[in-house]
Amino acid sequence: MSGKPKSMVLGVVGAAVFAGLGRMVLQRILADRAARDRMVTPPLDAETRAKISEALRGARRR
């Protein structure tokens, strides 16, 4: 007198989707952290800042 056996497919698919999304989030966090760590710029000296400023001012005049 047992009822219909319950299918485990839905549970397995749900677990796989959840694990996949978690893995994607983790990879994104690690990639963002690595990119942030690699994009370190040295401080600019006054001469370099002046050149950049002048170049930007010249570009705005056009």
Side-chain angles (χ1 to χ4, degrees), residues 15-16 28 37 49 52 60:
R28 179 63 188 245
D37 290 343
R49 269 190 260 154
I52 292 172
R60 289 181 188 159

Side-chain angles (χ1 to χ4, degrees), residues 9-38:
V9 173
L10 186 59
V12 171
V13 169
V17 169
F18 187 74
L21 288 174
R23 183 171 174 246
M24 286 173 48
V25 168
L26 185 62
Q27 284 178 339
R28 179 63 188 245
I29 290 170
L30 293 175
D32 286 349
R33 188 176 295 160
R36 186 178 59 233
D37 290 343
R38 272 187 253 130

